[in-house]
Amino acid sequence: MVRLSWSGFRERWQLFVGAILSVAVGVALVQASLQIMAAAGDPPIPEGLDPLEEAQIRDNYDGAATLMGIAMVIAAFLAIFIVSSTFAFAVAQRRRDLALLRVLGARRRQLRRLLLCEGVLLGLCGAALGFPVGFAAVRIQRWLLTELEFLPDGFATPWAGWHTAVAAGTGLVVALLGVLAASRRAAKVRPLEALLDTGRAGRMMTLPRWIFGLLMLASSVGLFTAARSEGADTDVAVATSMGLAITGGLALSMLSPLVVPLAGRVLGLLGAVSAVGRLAEANLRDGVRRSAATAAPLIVLVALLLGLAGSLGSLAVAAGEEQQQMIDGDLIVESTGARTEKLASLDGVAVVSSQISVPMIVTITVDIGDPEELEEEVFSSGIVAVEPDAYRRTHRQEALAGSLDELSGSAIAVTTSPGYRVDLGTTVTARVLEQVSEREFSPTVVAVLPETLSGSDGILVPMDLFTPEERANWPAHAVVQLEPHADPDQVVEAIRSADLGVTRSVEEWASAQTAEQQDENVGVLVVLMGLSGLYAAMAVVNAVVISSAERKREFATARVTGLTRQQVVRSALIEAWAVTAIGVCLGGVIVAGTMTGIAGGIERTLGAAVVDVPWELAGAVAGGAFVVITVATWASVRAATRIAPIALVSARE
Amino acid sequence: MLATDHAAVELRGVTKDYGRGQARVRALDGVDVDFPTGSWTAVMGPSGSGKSTLLHCAAGLERADTGQVVLRGTEITRAPDAALTELRRADIGFVFQNFNLIGSLTAEQNVALPLRLAGVRVSKREIRATLTSVGLGDRARHRPRELSGGQQQRVAIARAMVARPPVLFADEPTGALDSSSARVVLDLLREMVTDTGQTIVMVTHDPLAASSADSVLFLSDGRIVDRAARPSAKDVADMLAGLEDGERHGREA
């Protein structure tokens, strides 16, 4: 059986190239991610850092490790997806051979084993190829993470044997999981099919596909309804809509054998004027396996990438909008503690609220809903010292419990979160982390503030807890209200000439914050989704190459019927473009659902439906998909039509 | 070795329909027939007369809707898949019109395949001897695409011979061959019947092939309409032409 697997594998290596490469990339990524995670899990912390810097470095390392963990899981899942669709093709192509084996006395179990053996071979090849690629991958990921400032320059990621062992094992498991469904399908091939001239292609919509597809569709409808429901605020809407991007993409990709031909019919009504165009349209509807296999990864990619980018982007825009709504001021000055305190003395300035970032670690014991267990939440950023009175005059924000009026002395105001509850009167531990003034104290919670989208200024402490000397060099921003008749330009000029900081309008400041958040989003998306994009491209190229090779005889028949080679290529290209358009549009439907859901949540929270549709990214994805598919189709159809058609038409299998 | 009191294959009142409702077609209509042990029977008939369905049902590749198929004393109409697999391993061989060799395996690997699948250890010598007996001793390491059609069919026959199955089903074995290759294949089939007492059931369009058999069955509209013992090729051609005319008139009337 192993020999039969091996010979089948060798005979059809072109069919498996895509799958081997995707396993290899998966293995390489797992190895690289493990290497980085292992190094970041026990990172070298430079000597002589103060505790706050150390905490932030550890945070970054944790972020890098989390990101790598997610990337690893995505890589493994996508590799399974590609391997399974490759083997689905392989089984479809070989039904006759498999049926013949049954005629010759093979048991169902033996066919299953045959396919599983091929899966193992594929996994081994992928692992062998992935091992050297892993060393390149670790460089690329280290570079990316350094660019994104998760890792410091010169971060070392030593290699250990177990990284490779785990990666290779993952490769094997991925290949076996990928081949599992195909092996079951192979075992169902009836021996009679060996005798029938036209091998009946297996059904595309198998029962598990129906079940999983409809389940995902039902979840998507549920999530969309939840996102649009009255009670859904921005958090709920974003969470459900991001879920919708995943389930919706999976649903349409599972149901693609139904949906894609249907969309092809709609497209056919629009176009198909020439004979070549009509042939392409007929082929699109006829070659369901082919069109579905090409469109499915595109649907998932568009839904996931644009859905997530749109969600995160909208959240950032909404956070900016919320800041603008919340801040009641004319100018924002970014500066240091000492200099913002001088702003009040300038002509034309009515109110100044300084928010000074305190280098402090706050540990709060919170109620997570379990009476038996209390949990400690540790905060090391977003802790600001404020003058309560000035803060309240410049911020339209009501405490959920308690009051900011009481924020003086040993007091603290904290922001609530969906994950836990903080009660008034709770005593927290606060540790100031500056070498000159390191100390610890225990303020009491006097106010619980509503959660904000931006998550900034999450914890407020009274200004008078710190001496002016301490506050002097801490970074700060101040909200400035002007006198009714003051000239803003004069005030800005006065601030500039007194060197008290960088002045911006509230709107400018909020959008700068939004842009910063979005840059960070883009970085994270690049790491995670760049990977998915790579896999989607591999899956699409894989489907195109396999199906073109499969269509040699069909192309030859078209040519002996009178089409030129150019017309055959053009017809295949038109078909491929139509499939691309369908894939992108169907993915777009999911993205539209996601954005609608988010828009509703944001509108309910802020009273305005601000969303950020990632048009540029959408353009790049669609353009990239068209380029990749065009090149792959052109090259593979050229290759499939190289031989004189008559040789193929008259040849026997 | 053989249960001589049984026919190798018996069909009793076998019917088989395809399609549903308006599109329903009766492919076999109450067929009763015995294929005696150690005999070679050709099944002929116009296109759509049901001869392929007869072969499929007799070999257990399709289930008859009603009636019984008894293969070497075993009733196979309701047999589970595992039992049919065992039957294919031990009792049945197949030869097809389009050879159906596995393209990635060499001639000798193809020949050894049924035994390997059954978990039987086979010596290279035995395989070579079988290939030599079909005149392909020097082609053992060639892959199917490096062989002519006639040679490929001889490899397929060697594959069917190696396990010495008591019953061989042949589906248009000469359909894709020129006349001299066809002659070689028919001679090989004859040897299997006379030398080892195997039973052959062969569907064919070719009067010459049919005239090599011990007897010829004629099918029309899913029923056996005639049977001839050792007819000449010309007799077969005339009978077939008569049947085809009859069908045409029947349709026009």
Side-chain angles (χ1 to χ4, degrees):
Chain A
M1 200 48 67
V2 175
R3 183 195 294 195
L4 197 59
S5 293
W6 171 241
S7 67
F9 192 69
R10 213 177 35 190
E11 177 88 356
R12 294 166 196 275
W13 64 270
Q14 300 99 321
L15 181 62
F16 295 113
V17 167
I20 292 177
L21 283 182
S22 56
V23 173
V25 171
V27 167
L29 282 170
V30 169
Q31 184 181 321
S33 306
L34 281 176
Q35 236 169 295
I36 291 176
M37 281 165 75
D42 182 20
I45 303 286
E47 294 285 318
L49 286 184
D50 66 46
L52 189 70
E53 279 173 319
E54 192 184 316
Q56 275 162 359
I57 285 183
R58 280 190 194 281
D59 260 6
N60 286 342
Y61 280 129
D62 282 352
T66 309
L67 212 55
M68 287 296 98
I70 299 174
M72 213 162 74
V73 172
I74 289 183
F77 268 108
L78 292 173
I80 292 175
F81 180 74
I82 295 183
V83 171
S84 69
S85 65
T86 300
F87 271 103
F89 259 115
V91 170
Q93 252 187 26
R94 293 157 65 188
R95 289 189 83 79
R96 211 192 172 103
D97 273 5
L98 295 169
L100 177 65
L101 289 174
R102 293 281 284 137
V103 168
L104 297 179
R107 295 198 176 99
R108 285 186 171 159
R109 212 176 26 203
Q110 284 176 307
L111 291 199
R112 214 152 42 214
R113 215 184 311 147
L114 174 77
L115 268 282
L116 290 176
C117 271
E118 289 183 0
V120 170
L121 285 171
L122 186 129
L124 288 175
C125 288
L129 211 63
F131 174 59
V133 181
F135 291 102
V138 84
R139 280 160 184 268
I140 297 173
Q141 286 189 321
R142 206 169 48 201
W143 172 82
L144 258 175
L145 290 173
T146 313
E147 283 291 295
L148 292 171
E149 295 178 353
F150 280 107
L151 296 177
D153 281 331
F155 181 73
T157 51
W159 173 81
W162 69 269
H163 300 152
T164 301
V166 172
T170 312
L172 269 183
V173 171
V174 159
L176 277 177
L177 285 177
V179 82
L180 216 56
S183 77
R184 270 203 302 272
R185 205 169 308 158
K188 283 198 194 126
V189 172
R190 295 188 311 148
L192 182 65
E193 290 178 47
L195 280 86
L196 302 177
D197 250 354
T198 45
R200 184 182 61 98
R203 272 182 317 147
M204 278 297 289
M205 288 306 296
T206 53
L207 189 65
R209 210 185 170 100
W210 268 112
I211 294 173
F212 190 67
L214 289 179
L215 214 64
M216 284 292 129
L217 194 64
S219 317
S220 309
V221 172
L223 286 170
F224 183 72
T225 317
R228 297 293 295 174
S229 70
E230 274 311 310
D233 61 7
T234 303
D235 278 333
V236 174
V238 168
T240 49
S241 300
M242 280 165 113
L244 170 65
I246 296 168
T247 57
L250 285 176
L252 287 190
S253 100
M254 280 291 147
L255 300 176
S256 59
L258 296 179
V259 185
V260 172
L262 208 68
R265 210 169 276 267
V266 175
L267 212 65
L269 294 177
L270 305 176
V273 271
S274 69
V276 172
R278 216 167 298 138
L279 177 67
E281 190 245 348
N283 281 339
L284 187 153
R285 277 188 285 117
D286 192 47
V288 175
R289 182 178 297 278
R290 178 172 66 235
S291 0
T294 313
L298 283 180
I299 297 173
V300 175
L301 177 73
V302 169
L304 263 183
L305 183 55
L306 299 184
L308 294 190
S311 305
L312 293 177
S314 300
L315 203 53
V317 171
E321 171 71 21
E322 180 197 56
Q323 290 276 340
Q324 280 190 60
Q325 288 187 5
M326 196 169 89
I327 293 172
D328 181 11
D330 302 301
L331 300 171
I332 304 274
V333 182
E334 282 179 293
S335 179
T336 58
R339 290 188 290 165
T340 51
E341 280 164 42
K342 291 185 190 148
L343 288 168
S345 58
L346 292 178
D347 279 345
V349 171
V351 181
V352 175
S353 167
S354 293
Q355 275 109 266
I356 302 175
S357 296
V358 185
M360 189 160 83
I361 291 181
V362 174
T363 309
I364 309 176
T365 306
V366 294
D367 182 356
I368 53 168
D370 181 354
E372 298 291 306
E373 207 178 339
L374 295 171
E375 204 166 81
E376 290 201 329
E377 285 284 328
V378 180
F379 301 87
S380 63
S381 63
I383 304 162
V384 291
V386 297
E387 210 59 84
D389 185 43
Y391 185 85
R392 290 194 55 199
R393 284 167 69 183
T394 52
H395 291 78
R396 300 186 191 97
Q397 188 183 27
E398 285 302 320
L400 293 175
S403 162
L404 285 176
D405 288 340
E406 290 161 41
L407 193 66
S408 71
S410 187
I412 193 165
V414 299
T415 303
T416 179
S417 153
Y420 52 80
R421 201 167 59 110
V422 188
D423 290 323
L424 283 181
T426 310
T427 306
V428 310
T429 315
R431 198 151 67 93
V432 184
L433 291 168
E434 207 161 66
Q435 275 154 341
V436 281
S437 57
E438 184 160 350
R439 66 191 144 98
E440 203 175 291
F441 55 101
S442 307
T444 307
V445 175
V446 295
V448 178
L449 303 173
E451 199 189 15
T452 60
L453 296 175
S454 62
S456 60
D457 303 356
I459 294 179
L460 306 182
V461 286
M463 195 76 83
D464 49 23
L465 273 177
F466 310 97
T467 63
E469 291 72 35
E470 283 176 333
R471 304 193 303 242
N473 290 318
W474 290 341
H477 68 269
V479 181
V480 177
Q481 277 175 7
L482 301 179
E483 302 274 10
H485 303 294
D487 177 3
D489 291 340
Q490 272 181 9
V491 177
V492 171
E493 180 53 31
I495 293 171
R496 199 187 61 78
S497 59
D499 192 23
L500 293 182
V502 182
T503 310
R504 276 189 272 205
S505 70
V506 174
E507 198 184 335
E508 283 167 358
W509 182 76
S511 56
Q513 298 243 316
T514 303
E516 200 175 301
Q517 181 61 45
Q518 276 173 328
D519 276 354
E520 203 180 311
N521 291 345
V522 168
V524 172
L525 278 175
V526 163
V527 173
L528 295 183
M529 291 297 147
L531 210 63
S532 323
L534 180 68
Y535 269 103
M538 285 202 291
V540 167
V541 170
N542 198 26
V544 168
V545 169
I546 292 175
S547 53
S548 298
E550 202 180 25
R551 294 172 75 186
K552 272 184 188 159
R553 188 181 278 237
E554 180 197 320
F555 292 146
T557 310
R559 283 169 76 191
V560 293
T561 317
L563 268 74
T564 64
R565 191 177 175 194
Q566 279 72 25
Q567 281 176 316
V568 170
V569 174
R570 206 183 317 146
S571 155
L573 277 176
I574 293 174
E575 187 190 329
W577 288 331
V579 172
T580 314
I582 290 170
V584 170
C585 289
L586 288 177
V589 169
I590 304 297
V591 177
T594 307
M595 301 310 288
T596 317
I598 289 176
I602 290 175
E603 187 171 15
R604 275 185 292 279
T605 305
L606 299 178
V610 282
V611 285
D612 178 42
V613 181
W615 292 114
E616 284 172 25
L617 192 60
V621 169
F626 271 99
V627 169
V628 166
I629 286 186
T630 302
V631 172
T633 304
W634 185 82
S636 60
V637 176
R638 292 284 296 181
T641 52
R642 191 164 293 141
I643 310 167
I646 195 68
L648 276 172
V649 172
S650 55
R652 296 203 152 270
E653 282 170 54
Chain B
M1 173 182 131
L2 297 175
T4 41
D5 49 332
H6 288 294
V9 187
E10 299 168 42
L11 274 69
R12 292 277 162 266
V14 169
T15 57
K16 177 78 186 170
D17 290 345
Y18 291 117
R20 279 184 212 146
Q22 292 286 347
R24 192 187 194 85
V25 176
R26 177 145 288 190
L28 290 181
D29 191 2
V31 170
D32 284 295
V33 66
D34 285 358
F35 297 100
T37 302
S39 74
W40 178 359
T41 309
V43 180
M44 295 201 84
S47 293
S49 60
K51 50 189 193 302
S52 292
T53 309
L54 175 72
L55 187 87
H56 298 163
C57 288
L61 293 172
E62 280 190 89
R63 289 191 196 280
D65 293 335
T66 60
Q68 283 188 318
V69 178
V70 180
L71 206 146
R72 305 216 330 125
T74 312
E75 214 283 302
I76 63 167
T77 349
R78 308 279 167 260
D81 184 76
L84 290 174
T85 305
E86 290 312 314
L87 206 68
R88 286 196 289 272
R89 288 186 164 184
D91 298 290
I92 309 179
F94 288 93
V95 175
F96 308 96
Q97 178 178 12
N98 42 26
F99 326 136
N100 270 354
L101 301 174
I102 304 263
S104 58
L105 299 179
T106 62
E108 60 181 350
Q109 286 170 338
N110 265 293
V111 172
L113 193 57
L115 293 175
R116 287 248 163 77
L117 287 172
V120 179
R121 294 196 71 82
V122 270
S123 69
K124 262 217 161 91
R125 253 210 350 254
E126 200 181 329
I127 301 299
R128 287 287 166 98
T130 312
L131 272 171
T132 307
S133 74
V134 299
L136 292 172
D138 54 341
R139 293 280 194 274
R141 292 180 172 262
H142 287 58
R143 283 178 209 283
R145 58 173 167 272
E146 297 156 352
L147 300 171
S148 72
Q151 288 171 332
Q152 288 188 50
Q153 192 61 302
R154 279 187 276 157
V155 174
I157 288 175
R159 180 177 66 188
M161 283 163 70
V162 75
R164 302 191 192 290
V167 185
L168 180 76
F169 292 97
D171 186 10
E172 303 266 11
T174 57
L177 301 180
D178 62 69
S179 55
S180 66
S181 298
R183 193 69 259 161
V184 175
V185 165
L186 292 170
D187 289 346
L188 284 170
L189 293 178
R190 173 50 69 190
E191 275 173 38
M192 290 171 80
V193 177
T194 48
D195 295 0
T196 49
Q198 284 163 287
T199 307
I200 297 180
V201 180
M202 173 180 78
V203 163
T204 185
H205 261 112
D206 176 7
L208 196 71
S211 69
S212 309
D214 297 323
S215 65
V216 183
L217 282 182
F218 290 92
L219 244 70
S220 179
D221 289 331
R223 291 195 202 98
I224 294 174
V225 290
D226 209 345
R227 181 159 202 163
R230 291 208 156 264
S232 70
K234 187 175 176 315
D235 293 343
V236 174
D238 288 345
M239 291 172 94
L240 194 60
L243 276 180
E244 282 169 354
D245 278 351
E247 278 201 357
R248 200 172 310 133
H249 290 141
R251 234 172 279 137
E252 280 161 13

